Amino acid sequence: MRKIYIFDTTLRDGEQSPGVNLNTREKVEIALQLERLGIDRIEAGFPAASPGDLAAVDAVARAVKKSTIVGLSRSRTQDIDAAYEALKGAEDARIHLFLATSPIHRKYKLKMEKDQVIETAKEAIRYAKKYFSQIEFSAEDAGRTEIDFLSEVASMAVREGVSVFNVPDTVGYLTPYEYGNIFKTLKENVEGIEKIQLSAHCHDDLGMATVNALAAILNGADQIEGTINGIGERAGNTALEEIALALETRQDYFGAKTSLVLSEIARTSRLISKLTGMVVPGNKAIVGANAFAHESGIHQDGMLKEKSTYEIISPETIGLKESKLVLGKHSGRHAFREKLLDLGYTASEERLNEAFAKFKTLADKKKDVTDEDILAILEEKLVERPEVFHLETIYVTYGNESVPSAKVRMTVAGSEVTEEAEGNGSVDAIYNAIDKASGEEVTLSDYSIKSVGRGKDAQGEVHVVLGQGKLSAQGRGVSTDILEASARAYIDALNGLAERRKSFENVQG
Ligand code: KIV
Ligand code: ZN
C-alpha cells in the first residue's frame, strides 16, 4: 500500500493562529505527543523569527527521537544559519526553505522578476546544503503561480537536489480539481520529479483544505502538511486527523495510508486544544465532541440494532473509550488508579497522590466525577511553570443593581498581599483586584470559557491571553466555580508572562 508521509506544522503554521502563543515547555509537550502519534515530520517553528523561537526549536529537536524535526526558513543566509543553530541537536533534521512564486507576490512583496526568484531560491538551496542533507523547498502561493513557471521552479529544485517540493495553496483559493491538476502536471512535465517527494500544503479559507489535500494524493502527492484540529493562519490548515481517517476508512478508494497511530488522535487533539486554548467545535469531523453522538431516534434505533447503520468510524479507533468505571466521593485510590490507566495515563506515585487529592475535593462538590473532569484535573497543570503569583482566597460581592466588587488574597513572590477592587462585572472586579495585588500592568486580549462535560454542576474551564508590551502569555484555570476558574486562569497567565520576561531578559543579556 502506498505510504503518505505526514508533515505536522501545528507548532509553526498552527502557532500562527490568532491568540495562540506557546512557550517552549508547551511546544516540547506537544512535540512528544506528535511523536507518539507517529508523525513522520514535525515542523517545530521558524528559528529566525526570534531568539525564543530558535530556543524552542532547539528544545524540540533535542527532545524528539523518532520523528524528523523541521525548521522553517526564508531563502536568506541569516535564516538558514538560525535554522542550523536550532536543529543541530536533532537525531534527524531538515530545513524547510520557502520563497513566493506567484505574480502577485513577485510584484508586490518581493519586487522580483521570475529569473531573480529562481536565482534567489537556487542560491538558498545551495547555501542550505552546507548544513543539511535533506531540504524541503516551498513555492509560496504556488496555487496562484503560472503552471509553466511553477514547473520551472520545481525543475530547478530537482536539479539542486531537494528531497521535497511543496506546493502551498497559501491563501486557500483553489478547488480540488485545480489543485490536483498541479500535481498531475508537475509529475508529467518536470524531468526527474520521481526522484523527490511532492508535498501538499493547504489552507482552509474556502473550507477546502482537506479535500484539496486528498485531491493532491489522488494525483501523486507523497506528503501532506497540516495541523491537528486544523488550526493555523486565518481559517487554518488541513486537519491531519481528517486525512488519516479518510485514508483509513476509504482505503478502497485512495489505496494509500499513513503511519499514524490512530488511537492517539483523541489525546493529541485534546492536548493541543488545551495548550493552545483553541476550542474544538462540537461538530468538527473526527475530534468534535459530537462526532460520534447519535441524537435522532431513528439513528439511535439503527445503532442499537447494528452500529454500521450509522457509524463509519468507531470512537475506539481514535482512542475514545467508553468507560464503565464511574467515580464518586466514595471511590478509593485503587479505583482512581484504575481509571487513570483506563484513560491511558500511568502517573508517578507523586502525581497520583496530587491528582487523587484534587479528585476528592472535586467529588465533595460534584456527584459524578466524569472522565472529562479527571482529564481536566490531570491536564490543568500539564506543563508546570514557576509560580511567582499564587491565589490563596477570593471573595466576590455581586448584585444586579450594585457595582460588583472582589477581594483577593494572593502570594506574590513569597509575600502575602490582599487587595480589593470594583469592576463592570464580577470577573472584571476580580481581575482589577489581581492587577492591584500583583502590581502588573497587563491587557486582557482573549477570554473564553467552556464547561467540562455536561450538567449544572459541571466544572468551568477558562482560558485567557494576557499581553504586556511585546510579550503575551496564555493561562488556564479549572474549577466548579467559574469565577475561581477565571481568577486561576488570569494568575496562570501572569506566571506565564513572568516566565517570558525572564527568558526575554536572558536573551537580551
Ligand atoms: O502557506 C504557506 O505558504 C506556508 C509556507 C511557508 C509553506 O505556510
Ligand atoms: Zn501555510
Side-chain angles (χ1 to χ4, degrees):
M1 172 98 44
R2 189 174 145 218
K3 165 164 169 151
I4 300 299
Y5 288 81
I6 297 294
F7 179 112
D8 178 282
T9 182
T10 305
L11 296 176
R12 200 276 299 168
D13 224 327
E15 216 221 0
Q16 288 171 220
S17 309
V20 174
N21 195 337
L22 298 164
N23 66 28
T24 298
R25 271 200 303 272
E26 290 165 334
K27 286 184 182 173
V28 170
E29 194 73 35
I30 290 177
L32 291 173
Q33 180 56 33
L34 292 173
E35 183 179 37
R36 282 191 283 275
L37 176 63
I39 295 288
D40 300 293
R41 295 154 190 168
I42 299 175
E43 186 162 54
F46 180 11
S50 74
D53 283 62
L54 193 152
V57 176
D58 173 64
V60 168
R62 287 172 200 282
V64 171
K65 300 292 171 224
K66 287 196 264 177
S67 316
T68 302
I69 304 300
V70 187
L72 183 70
S73 164
R74 286 168 296 188
S75 293
R76 301 180 182 184
T77 55
Q78 313 91 287
D79 279 31
I80 299 169
D81 291 338
Y84 171 67
E85 215 29 59
L87 292 166
K88 62 180 194 248
E91 293 279 326
D92 189 37
R94 74 174 46 179
I95 189 168
H96 176 189
L97 290 173
F98 73 98
L99 187 63
T101 52
S102 66
I104 297 177
H105 281 239
R106 293 195 311 261
K107 181 167 175 198
Y108 297 106
K109 189 176 91 175
L110 300 176
K111 301 189 190 328
M112 281 185 191
E113 297 300 326
K114 285 181 180 167
D115 54 342
Q116 288 172 293
V117 169
I118 299 247
E119 211 40 44
T120 308
K122 193 193 319 177
E123 276 170 22
I125 295 171
R126 289 190 177 170
Y127 188 79
K129 272 195 165 166
K130 280 200 322 190
Y131 302 126
F132 296 95
S133 57
Q134 303 179 86
I135 299 174
E136 166 165 335
F137 182 80
S138 278
E140 193 192 6
D141 205 16
R144 292 187 298 172
T145 300
E146 309 88 325
I147 188 66
D148 288 349
F149 182 53
L150 189 65
S151 302
E152 244 183 86
V153 178
S155 298
M156 174 279 299
V158 171
R159 279 196 305 278
E160 294 303 319
V162 304
S163 314
V164 177
F165 184 72
N166 184 34
V167 181
D169 181 16
T170 303
V171 289
Y173 177 74
L174 296 182
T175 62
Y177 179 76
E178 292 168 309
Y179 192 59
N181 232 352
I182 298 181
F183 286 80
K184 187 163 175 273
T185 312
L186 292 178
K187 285 255 171 208
E188 283 167 4
N189 291 359
V190 177
E191 207 185 305
I193 199 83
E194 67 290 346
K195 290 191 273 197
I196 69 165
Q197 293 190 345
L198 279 181
S199 170
H201 178 113
C202 303
H203 280 269
D204 209 30
D205 299 67
L206 296 175
M208 293 192 274
T210 296
V211 72
N212 280 351
L214 292 170
I217 291 174
L218 290 175
N219 286 281
D222 306 282
Q223 173 179 281
I224 298 299
E225 304 195 358
T227 59
I228 301 295
N229 300 341
I231 64 171
E233 185 83 41
R234 305 182 310 280
N237 292 58
T238 299
L240 292 176
E241 66 278 8
E242 293 176 12
I243 296 294
L245 266 295
L247 296 186
E248 173 75 14
T249 314
R250 297 304 312 275
Q251 267 181 33
D252 58 323
Y253 185 72
F254 291 103
K257 62 190 288 183
T258 70
S259 309
L260 294 199
V261 182
L262 301 180
S263 57
E264 288 292 330
I265 285 182
R267 193 195 303 242
T268 315
S269 162
R270 198 169 52 229
L271 174 74
I272 288 166
S273 171
K274 282 240 160 1
L275 294 184
T276 57
M278 293 201 65
V279 177
V280 177
N283 65 335
K284 163 83 182 60
I286 317 298
V287 289
N290 300 339
F292 300 101
H294 300 272
E295 183 75 19
S296 96
I298 295 173
H299 286 211
Q300 287 173 350
D301 178 56
M303 283 290 290
L304 289 171
K305 287 178 175 146
E306 164 56 43
K307 283 192 175 173
S308 61
T309 49
Y310 288 104
E311 192 174 83
I312 59 164
I313 310 160
S314 80
E316 290 80 19
T317 307
I318 64 157
L320 289 173
K321 277 198 235 154
E322 206 182 313
S323 179
K324 285 163 196 69
L325 209 59
V326 178
L327 296 187
K329 71 175 175 188
H330 301 298
S331 309
R333 273 172 61 89
H334 185 202
F336 187 70
R337 188 198 290 274
E338 283 301 306
K339 169 63 85 181
L340 295 200
L341 286 175
D342 198 31
L343 293 171
Y345 281 85
T346 37
S348 65
E349 207 53 27
E350 193 190 343
R351 184 107 189 268
L352 177 77
N353 288 341
E354 200 188 313
F356 185 63
K358 282 193 188 164
F359 155 71
K360 279 291 186 188
T361 314
L362 180 63
D364 272 340
K365 298 184 189 162
K366 204 170 175 276
K367 189 170 165 292
D368 288 327
V369 180
T370 64
D371 288 0
E372 281 137 318
D373 289 323
I374 308 237
L375 289 169
I377 288 175
L378 291 168
E379 292 169 356
E380 188 185 6
K381 283 257 155 41
L382 208 53
V383 183
E384 288 286 347
R385 41 173 57 140
E387 274 201 315
V388 178
F389 308 99
H390 180 78
L391 180 70
E392 300 292 347
T393 56
I394 168 172
Y395 293 93
V396 179
T397 316
Y398 170 78
N400 65 347
E401 291 186 337
S402 61
V403 180
S405 66
K407 179 174 175 180
V408 296
R409 183 162 61 85
M410 50 192 277
T411 325
V412 179
S415 316
E416 217 173 87
V417 191
T418 303
E419 285 293 351
E420 288 180 57
E422 294 182 339
N424 285 328
S426 303
V427 173
D428 190 36
I430 293 169
Y431 288 177
N432 289 339
I434 296 176
D435 284 347
K436 274 186 171 175
S438 66
E440 297 287 320
E441 271 191 39
V442 293
T443 50
L444 177 68
S445 52
D446 199 15
Y447 173 98
S448 60
I449 183 162
K450 70 176 182 102
S451 82
V452 177
R454 293 161 203 252
K456 274 199 297 185
D457 64 351
Q459 296 190 91
E461 182 177 335
V462 173
H463 180 266
V464 300
V465 181
L466 294 185
Q468 189 172 52
K470 285 190 187 145
L471 304 178
S472 72
Q474 311 179 127
R476 286 181 301 282
V478 184
S479 168
T480 44
D481 185 284
I482 56 172
L483 296 181
E484 184 178 328
S486 302
R488 289 196 180 286
Y490 198 83
I491 289 178
D492 189 36
L494 284 180
N495 283 320
L497 276 176
E499 193 186 13
R500 273 174 192 256
R501 253 189 336 257
K502 209 158 142 208
S503 47
F504 192 71
E505 281 156 15
N506 288 343
V507 169
Q508 305 281 302

